[in-house]
Amino acid sequence: MLERLRHGAVLELRLARPPVNALDPAMVGALASAVRDAPGEGARAIVLSGSPGMFCAGLDVPKLLTLDRPALTAFWGDFFGLLSRLARCPVPIVAAITGHSPAGGAVLSIFCDYRVMARGPYRIGLNEVQVGLSVPPRIQFALRRLIGAHRAERLMVAGAMIDSEEALRIGMVDELAPVESVTAAALGWCERHLELPPLAMAATRRMARADLHEAIGGAESHDVEDFVDAWFSDETQRVLQALVERLKRPKPL
């Protein structure tokens, strides 16, 4: 589910939940715990990676559709908790986006410090609207912070998925690399930053990310309730059930 690989002072957390590294309650819990524990275990930077061709497909919709309201409320609270850990982590975190990264996969990456994406026919974006969900305010803030308010609005309202070249052009990712070299490029970024004077780098990073810390930590619990209300609405349930049915259909040979 989650592989931990040490590269000197850098800890790689590799999502390993075939076939698409979808986020279910266990995956979210494991990732949050690993990010929390990494600095205390000696990691001075973290790389979050996936499998070649697929970083993370976002929420495990078939699994989440089986949850009742209390369980889904707990899951969504845990997901926000994971984002808070990414935003507030005392050591730099780089997303090694090793392939497609829709919805929740893209969300994980925008809360990291830096993003290296696979060059080629891979797409990234917050496509929640296309599956009947809205983008919560805290996540909207993080994307606006990254690419600007107008561009973020256009992408989120349309639920657009963009290719890696466009993601680089607009600043949604910071660097492209061949798919087989994405993790190495992410590790290289970490190593270059770890050569800097550590106290100065950490203090400057903390100040630079203070707005993100405040945004993810300052929202009230009604964000979770609003999302859960929307999840169980007739429209969203209809769209999500249709999505699951499409996923069940056999792929053409």
Side-chain angles (χ1 to χ4, degrees), residues 116-137:
V116 182
M117 186 171 179
R119 187 187 303 275
Y122 305 110
R123 304 183 76 81
I124 186 171
L126 302 185
N127 64 332
E128 281 83 351
V129 166
Q130 293 197 22
V131 296
L133 298 170
S134 61
V135 180

Side-chain angles (χ1 to χ4, degrees), residues 15 19-21 49-57 97-102 122 179:
L15 305 178
V20 294
N21 296 331
S49 67
S51 51
M54 176 58 70
F55 175 61
C56 172
I97 306 170
T98 48
H100 296 299
S101 186
Y122 305 110
V179 65

Side-chain angles (χ1 to χ4, degrees), residues 9-94:
V10 182
L11 174 64
E12 179 186 353
L13 299 176
R14 182 181 296 166
L15 305 178
R17 186 170 180 257
V20 294
N21 296 331
L23 298 168
D24 69 345
M27 172 72 93
V28 167
L31 187 52
S33 295
V35 172
R36 177 197 65 205
D37 295 342
E41 296 172 349
R44 295 178 57 211
I46 298 170
V47 168
L48 179 60
S49 67
S51 51
M54 176 58 70
F55 175 61
C56 172
L59 301 181
D60 185 343
V61 172
K63 173 66 176 179
L64 298 185
L65 282 173
T66 68
L67 302 183
D68 60 15
R69 187 182 183 96
L72 187 71
T73 300
F75 169 80
W76 197 239
D78 289 346
F79 183 69
F80 273 130
L82 168 58
L83 300 183
S84 181
R85 292 201 184 280
L86 293 173
R88 294 169 173 267
C89 186
V91 301
I93 303 182
V94 181

